[in-house]
Amino acid sequence: MTSRPATTELRSLRRIGDTAPHSAFTDLVRYAGAWFCAFRQGRSHLSDDGALRVLTSSDGRSWRTAAVLAQPGADLRDPRFVVRPDGRLQVLAAAATGTPKRFRTVAALSDDGHRWDEPRPVGEADIWVWQAAWQGDVMYGVGYATREPRFVRLYRSEDGLDLRPVVRTLFSGGYPSESGLDFDPDGTATCLLRRDGGTATAQLGRARPPYREWTWTDLSVRVGGPALRRLPDGSLVAGVRLHDGGVRTAICALDVARGRLRELVALPSGGDCGYPGLAWHDGRLHVSYYSSHEGHSHVYLAEVDLGPGPL
């Protein structure tokens, strides 16, 4: 991978979600010929009234509400899209209930991105399956413990709903939590893992099938809300919240061979921000994220030109 800062450029930026006091924790997908962006809306970052709003657009410029998913008595948080092999769209999220908060992963399915079934609990209580991806006819997900002891666990599922542990302790130490997950064409898994304890440095995990033996590399940088996307040339880009030199949402190149996360471009952001969704379309990276740099927390859509050649 070679540096190419002169060719990485923010081409456009639009504010697409601003109807709630706090709009945050996004994901983005190109599905059935249209754009879908999901995020949490509520009174504040940690309020108990969280609901998931799904926006849709045919051109990425004009957006409208496709659906709102809510559960009485639950704060629904951090939606993550998964496009299923059967053609349906799935969203994974967490339902936070009670005092103190208890977390349970929930899933909802849709045939068109507009009509969704009721979110149903999946996986294990107190383990938040934050990211998932299909590899062939099996879905894998990385979940993190929301109570002590802190660890992350790898799950597999043949239907995307019945989640069974593959590696019960995938990583522990330093309060591991959110993750990005991707699979190489040869089946090798890549995990970008957030940590918040100790040095709070992110970890890069790699494993080959059947994904029971992992190697981990310390990336020496603190991240939040990681997302991974593989480009057509095989390069991996990450969307993260960075903390060094000021909190911001950034697009980075992930060099798995060297164990390096290199910032390509910082998006207009600050304060309460991050949690991007990444999608590649028409030769350009599309990024949903949220930020409070304009006052209230809003959801934005950025288009980033990464230029020609490898990262």
Side-chain angles (χ1 to χ4, degrees), residues 49-52 68-72 74 76 118-119:
D49 64 335
L52 307 182
V68 176
L69 283 65
Q71 279 189 339
L76 296 185
E118 290 293 323

Side-chain angles (χ1 to χ4, degrees), residues 22 25 40 43-49 75 77 101 103:
H22 192 273
F25 318 124
R40 176 194 179 270
R43 292 191 305 272
S44 67
H45 188 108
L46 294 173
S47 57
D48 59 5
D49 64 335
D75 172 16
R77 308 183 62 86
K101 292 297 185 185
F103 294 87

